Amino acid sequence: PDLIKIDIEGAEYLALQGAEKLLKTVRPKFLIEVNNENIESVTKIFSANAYKLFDIQSPSYPLVDAAVFNNLAVPEEKLLEKV
């Protein structure tokens, strides 16, 4: 898949742990909603796999250092691709 949407009310960290092979080999983009208790762990997983996070709730979709509530996670090597 090119894009995966995750909105599973607090289980996003578990889903990403189970998607480790996808993160490392397929490298899809993710639309992901992150609950407050998972911000740090989700940020670490994406950072460890060379993904950049964007805040899709803000009008200009800024790059962010840590996960926010609604994110687009993009592999670094795909940043210049057309969406």
Side-chain angles (χ1 to χ4, degrees):
D2 289 330
L3 177 69
I4 295 174
K5 182 179 182 218
I6 298 176
D7 181 358
I8 49 179
E9 305 305 324
E12 22 324 276
Y13 177 66
L14 295 173
L16 290 173
Q17 281 184 312
E20 192 164 336
K21 186 175 180 181
L22 280 173
L23 286 162
K24 293 184 184 308
T25 59
V26 178
R27 314 278 298 148
K29 297 172 189 87
F30 288 84
L31 281 174
I32 182 168
E33 184 177 288
V34 180
N35 285 356
N36 285 338
E37 64 269 10
N38 289 316
I39 286 175
E40 186 177 338
S41 55
V42 166
T43 299
K44 284 181 182 179
I45 286 178
F46 281 126
S47 293
N49 287 283
Y51 274 74
K52 295 294 184 184
L53 294 166
F54 297 87
D55 178 356
I56 60 171
Q57 268 188 254
S58 294
S60 62
Y61 303 144
L63 179 67
V64 292
D65 292 329
V68 293
F69 187 67
N70 284 305
N71 305 269
L72 173 64
V74 181
E76 290 178 357
E77 71 275 8
K78 294 184 179 180
L79 286 175
L80 298 176
E81 288 182 3
K82 291 183 180 179
V83 178

